[in-house]
Amino acid sequence: MRFHSAFWDEWQRLYLPSLDKHLLFVIENNPVEGKAALEYLSTSPQRWAAQAVQIELDARSLQRCADVEAIREAHRSLVIGELENEVSPLLRIFSRISEDVDAALNQASAYNQRLPLRDVADKLNLHLQNFARSSDKYTVRFYPIIKSWREIVTNYIKELAKITELRQEIDSPYIIGVPLTLEQEIFTGRNDIGLRMIEQLLLDYRRPPLLLYGQRRMGKTSLLNNIGKLLPNSIIPMFIDLQGAPSSASDHAGFVYNLAREMEKSAKKQGVTLPSLAREVLKSDPFTYFYEWLDKVEQALEENTVLLALDEFEVLDNAIAKGRFDEQDVLGMLRHLIQHRPRFKILLAGSHTIEEYQRWASYLINVQVVHISYLKEAEARQLIERPVKDFTLRYEPNAVERVLQLTRCHPFLVQLLCAEIIVLKNEQDPSIRRLATLADVEAAIPEALQSGGFFFADIQNNQVNATGQAILRFIAAQGEGAIVSRQRLLQEFADADITFSLLLQRELIEEVADGYGFQVELIRRWFV
Ligand SMILES: Nc1ncnc2c1ncn2[C@@H]1O[C@H](COP(=O)(O)OP(=O)(O)OP(=O)(O)O)[C@@H](O)[C@H]1O
Ligand SMILES: [Mg+2]
């Protein structure tokens, strides 16, 4: 090595082509000398070679991971320097996957390892797709590695599934945090809301727009995904997530194009083929062409009507507020649909009332609110005791009662708590595993508060103001079921009066006699 000019001539500034290969060769054959050379070069004009070698060494060490145990350790030896370079994002991906695998393997039961590992496998699939699309030389180098990691993880998940069966662990059907799709058996209840919508849609000759109004995580999107099951066949629901493509478009042409595409996709799922709308024609006068397209859509609908469900309307409002879209054009288009297109019924969904969004109120007159709130008790019981066919966990009667009390039949909270109960049961001895007791429910509470932290933190940070937080903490401190008198709160907090209405509107507290208490015990626990 020392015969190489990079070492005897410290002023050597010429680019020395195969220096990196040479260095790698040395490191592999004489690690001590190689490492010293690497350190020396990293401060010399031949730094590029040291860097290239380091990247290749990292790649090789990641490639050597042959099982999940090796993958879980990989992040400990990966050094991602503070200096950003082209590979840092790649290395960070591997490092994070390794950490996630490590965290998953720390779970006690095979079943509980499998859940987070499935997330890891999903991520790996996504990365693999992205890697495949890139022709960047480093991405190309790391592609086979991510592929091999994916294989290792998916194979291990399969092994775990076998172990779960052998050890008779309970398979959790609960889905937390993502809206339920049409295929998911666990979607429960909501027939009453379906009926209310039908009444409004079919019977009110004024065809008012509907607002599906409910607090965060109350199940608005899940309901919209499943609404087809509850409506007669003559109403074709088309679901548009305004948080997605339409609102992220950069201009009106992009907006209507994405809107039309989402409508097409939705219709297709229900066996209705809509004409497609070409993007180019939209450039000059997007709304005129969009209306022409709607004419064709109406023909394709024959006798049917469309329920155009726009989820997260607040996001579109935000885009209008930022000036990305023109209020009059976009909201005027909705009004046009309501007034002149009897085949289209508009439904907005969100966690705010129209009154809170004045802009909309002036375009959409006569909005009818359909309130979505807690499940009915029978629906929540079903979610606890028979979430899916072949569910193998039974509950003692008082344990079911306790889940109902703690969650007040809030669909997300029922799923959250029940999922944690299964996690606990799977760690217990098989002889007592299949029966959930009151003690199990109590033990799952802290776990649920922790794993559902994002839900509770959103309430605390985004839905109430400082006084609201203080009032909630004050009531929470009085214990389970406590009602604090209005008088008392007014004494404690200067601007309590205006805050009450906010807390009531967010459905966090309720008025009982002449005082206020928490609506949901689990939420109170968070504020203790
Ligand atoms: N009908 C239902 N049956 C069973 N579980 C449900 C139902 N509706 C909602 N959930 C549970 O609540 C969670 C949240 O549902 P969803 O995302 O549909 O709520 P959302 O009101 O759209 O929330 P956000 O305001 O955050 O958009 C789901 O992941 C699921 O666990
Ligand atoms: Mg939603």
Side-chain angles (χ1 to χ4, degrees), residues 237-248:
M238 293 187 187
F239 174 79
I240 317 282
D241 180 5
L242 288 176
Q243 191 150 37
S247 299
S248 53

Side-chain angles (χ1 to χ4, degrees), residues 179 216-217 219-222 239 241 243 311-312 349:
R216 298 300 313 274
R217 307 265 151 189
K220 301 176 290 294
T221 309
S222 301
F239 174 79
D241 180 5
Q243 191 150 37
D311 197 8
E312 307 265 0

Side-chain angles (χ1 to χ4, degrees), residues 79-180:
V79 189
I80 306 169
E82 295 96 70
L83 282 181
E84 270 306 303
N85 58 41
E86 309 95 300
V87 283
S88 335
L90 290 174
L91 294 180
R92 221 168 273 127
I93 287 174
F94 284 94
S95 179
R96 205 158 295 151
I97 295 279
S98 164
E99 282 171 37
D100 289 350
V101 169
D102 189 31
L105 296 182
N106 277 333
Q107 297 287 323
S109 69
Y111 178 75
N112 296 335
Q113 290 185 358
R114 191 151 57 101
L115 287 185
L117 280 180
R118 267 196 227 146
D119 288 341
V120 175
D122 287 347
K123 276 192 208 152
L124 283 166
N125 276 327
L126 215 80
H127 288 312
L128 198 64
Q129 282 169 22
N130 291 339
F131 276 40
R133 271 188 223 118
S134 166
S135 54
D136 160 71
K137 74 173 174 194
Y138 294 118
T139 313
V140 170
R141 173 69 187 95
F142 284 86
Y143 177 80
I145 311 177
I146 201 107
K147 200 163 163 192
S148 126
W149 279 34
R150 185 193 61 164
E151 229 99 282
I152 293 168
V153 170
T154 31
N155 286 339
Y156 190 68
I157 292 172
K158 282 187 204 139
E159 259 173 62
L160 285 175
K162 281 188 214 140
I163 298 175
T164 308
E165 225 179 272
L166 268 175
R167 294 194 193 147
Q168 303 184 334
E169 290 180 0
I170 304 162
D171 216 335
S172 172
Y174 295 109
I175 296 163
I176 300 148
V178 286
L180 308 177

